[in-house]
Amino acid sequence: MEQKKVVIIGGGFAGINLAQKLAKDNLFHITLIDKNNYNFFPPLLYQVATGFLDPSNICYPFRKFFQKKSNLRFSLGLFQEVFPAENRISTDTGDVYYDYLIFATGTETNYFGMENVRKNAVPMKTVKDALALRNHILWNKEKATKIADVNARKKLLSIVVAGAGPTGVEISGMLAEMHKNIFKRDYPELNRNEVQIYLVDALPNVLNPMTKKSQQDTLGELKGLGINVLLDHAVKDFQDGVVTFANGHTIETETLIWTSGVTGIALPGLPKEAIGRGRRVLVDSYNRVKGYNNIFAIGDICLMNSDEKFPDGHPQVAQVAIQQGRNLAKNFRSLIEGKTAHDFHYNDRGSMAIIGVNKAVADLSGMHFNGFIAYMMWLVVHLFSLIRYRNQVKTLYNWIVALFTRDQSLRFILDAKPDK
């Protein structure tokens, strides 16, 4: 059989797992296209943002990763449009033709139409975002050391984190730990009581998808770290250094970290009928895009309603993306040859979130864990989820140092602007 040209757009959890598995079958010549020349691990972005990990700990170049795979190639480019009738896509670096196309483009930050929030808040979606946030926080600390006015200093030192999901909880907890153990030594000029961290959410709970026990444990730990948790507080605006909420409350701050929502990346060329809520692509139980036989979508970008346990679609988490990528790889030859393929069914292995040093929660297989045990579970799961041994070793070293010293040495101010 003639070798088939498979084009994968996006090298995140879904795309990289599909590419790895599919490359074992010489029937396929695979091209993976991504706007970055590296894969990165989003769950640890907040540790890059707070200086506990270097970007190289969570990133790995695609070309190095693909060196020993003869039928797998990488192409640097930003997707622009698909032309299904011609089996062609356009990117900012040229056109690419395909026999089979897979969208694994993931999501982007959703500001819910609030233009001032989009312009002024700092997102947490990419490596650039994480570095920009680190720069922003450190610059504000440096500025505060040179300001005598108490109110102006407090505004620089206050941080609002919007979104009490895992990312919001984790970065809030990490910032609180840093203020407790690091910044008091780095910035002796500053009054620690002037530092205020707020975690806000429009919903009445933190970690809304997790169990009530995890929510209660997390809320208690966050408050114990000195974090001001404001629930039922929907952000309405952010301008001139003031966060305004729908209930009329305000907080003065120069830092709004936005982790409140995501939306699917736009895919020009696909018809409106193929796009569902949240700009996610509608797919069947094999991840085929509605209306097409040779176009697929996997991971956060797709919306599948055929899984009986998740009739409203799967959660946009790493494990769904990984499992869909691997399932599609197993099915690909069968789908091409018209043989029976396996429907996708998500195996939910549970959820976990880290709150601070020795503080975490985990809901796994119907069981709840918290404290040090959950903390170690979180470390092990995330360590072995990194793409290469090199990343695992470097990350483990940094974590061990941070665990015993409550410190790290990556507090550099580097030039980076967030991806908006």
Side-chain angles (χ1 to χ4, degrees), residues 332-382:
F332 224 90
R333 181 182 276 267
S334 296
L335 289 168
I336 290 173
E337 295 175 351
K339 298 179 181 177
T340 302
H342 298 284
D343 296 339
F344 177 75
H345 297 281
Y346 174 46
N347 178 20
D348 188 356
R349 298 174 181 173
S351 304
M352 55 180 60
I354 196 169
I355 307 162
V357 177
N358 297 332
K359 302 177 182 71
V361 291
D363 296 326
L364 304 173
S365 302
M367 300 177 66
H368 170 73
F369 303 89
N370 64 0
F372 182 72
I373 293 175
Y375 180 75
M376 294 307 297
M377 288 178 172
W378 185 97
L379 293 180
V380 170
V381 168
H382 285 74

Side-chain angles (χ1 to χ4, degrees), residues 260-274:
S260 279
V262 295
T263 186
I265 292 175
L267 300 176
L270 290 183
K272 292 180 180 179
E273 299 77 34

